[in-house]
Amino acid sequence: MKKIFAANWKLHISPREAREFFEEFQLLPLADAELIFFPSAISAEAVSESLKKTPHSFGLQHCHWEESGAFTGENSMKVLKELGGKYVLIGHSERRSLFGESDIDVNRKARKAQNLGLTPLICIGESLEEREQKKTFRVLETQLELATRELENSFVIAYEPVWAIGTGQVASAEQVAEAHQFIAEQLEKKGFSGRPLLYGGSVKPENAAQLLKVANVHGFLIGGASLKPEILGKIIQSM
Ligand code: PGA
């Protein structure tokens, strides 16, 4: 399976900065990896133009499940398609905790994405409190069960322990191995096969090589370390 490196730019990087990023960043085809960029909606067109004639893709960090209508402030998957986007990030823990995205919303959005021929990249992960209360597997099982209802076998899962996002506190290789194995088993039980499983949470050049060797880790969802071309490049080189 090709490795996937997904850059979650969050609310950073303007259209001008996106163009500058791609002037510096090497976008050569990589035989064994796929790159996906998730810019903020306003920078999506600049990213789309920069990625033309490259094999790499982009998506949005959040979209509504309706294509259009009276939904002030929302992003449309139909418009994303028109721009040439291929992916939609769904259920990121910041969307869940700061903007009230529920498991039901996640599933609605994922189904809509698939209907339109987009690939949902669905984030799941436990909070620190849930981990300490030994509820990690239960949380992952529930999030996965609700997110994947009635989905086709064409989505990507990112395991992002909430306590490791933007904190510098990376999950250990053992913690990642255990969670990814559990997710892989759950997916198999539900009849999904060959789904890529990404790890996300404080990935950086210093820990990328070790994490990439963990069984069932097929790539990363990278926040802070994806904002600088040089640092993202180093993470990709850790393959
Ligand atoms: P981080 O963010 O790499 O900055 O921890 C990851 C994410 O939020 O997807």
Side-chain angles (χ1 to χ4, degrees):
M1 189 187 297
K2 270 195 176 190
K3 297 280 186 243
I4 296 178
F5 296 91
N8 177 10
W9 282 353
K10 308 194 180 186
L11 198 50
H12 301 286
I13 306 205
S14 69
R16 176 182 53 77
E17 288 166 336
R19 283 185 209 99
E20 287 168 6
F21 182 99
F22 291 116
E23 274 163 27
E24 195 182 329
F25 189 73
Q26 291 290 321
L27 277 169
L28 301 175
L30 296 160
D32 37 16
E34 178 180 0
L35 309 188
I36 310 167
F37 292 87
F38 289 100
S40 71
I42 284 180
S43 296
E45 194 163 6
V47 169
S48 167
E49 279 162 17
S50 302
L51 293 179
K52 254 183 209 151
K53 301 197 191 106
T54 80
H56 306 302
S57 347
F58 75 98
L60 286 179
Q61 299 164 15
H62 117 92
C63 282
H64 197 54
W65 57 81
E66 293 290 347
E67 287 172 24
S68 60
F71 302 105
T72 303
E74 287 292 332
N75 297 320
S76 158
M77 293 192 207
K78 199 168 148 212
V79 174
L80 172 61
K81 267 217 92 159
E82 188 183 306
L83 281 181
K86 297 224 165 72
Y87 288 86
V88 194
L89 197 60
I90 303 177
H92 188 280
S93 71
E94 284 151 20
R95 297 296 320 168
R96 290 178 191 259
S97 66
L98 301 173
F99 303 101
E101 192 161 293
S102 70
D103 286 318
I104 305 297
D105 296 342
V106 169
N107 180 253
R108 271 188 196 141
K109 291 175 183 191
R111 282 189 286 139
K112 182 66 188 182
Q114 289 192 336
N115 282 343
L116 288 174
L118 295 160
T119 303
L121 197 169
I122 302 167
C123 304
I124 59 172
E126 80 288 0
S127 66
L128 184 58
E129 200 186 351
E130 288 161 342
R131 176 163 282 271
E132 284 172 351
Q133 292 172 355
K134 310 223 175 311
K135 290 186 186 152
T136 299
F137 291 150
R138 206 188 312 160
V139 170
L140 296 180
E141 188 178 354
T142 306
Q143 289 182 342
L144 208 54
E145 159 65 21
L146 296 175
T148 59
R149 271 190 195 165
E150 292 172 47
L151 284 195
E152 285 161 26
N153 193 27
S154 63
F155 56 85
V156 180
I157 296 288
Y159 168 59
E160 296 210 307
V162 179
W163 47 272
I165 297 177
T167 56
Q169 195 188 341
V170 68
S172 69
E174 292 72 32
Q175 287 169 324
V176 175
E178 198 180 59
H180 277 236
Q181 190 186 334
F182 179 78
I183 295 166
E185 285 166 5
Q186 293 294 312
L187 288 175
E188 203 170 312
K189 265 198 223 161
K190 294 179 198 309
F192 296 114
S193 59
R195 295 303 82 227
L197 307 183
L198 314 186
Y199 167 76
S202 297
V203 172
K204 37 188 187 253
E206 295 75 26
N207 56 33
Q210 194 203 9
L211 289 169
L212 218 45
K213 281 198 212 108
V214 174
N216 298 307
V217 171
H218 308 117
F220 297 132
L221 180 57
I222 312 156
S226 73
L227 300 174
K228 295 261 179 319
E230 186 200 329
I231 300 180
L232 181 61
K234 279 194 188 147
I235 292 176
I236 295 164
Q237 278 160 20
S238 68
M239 264 195 300

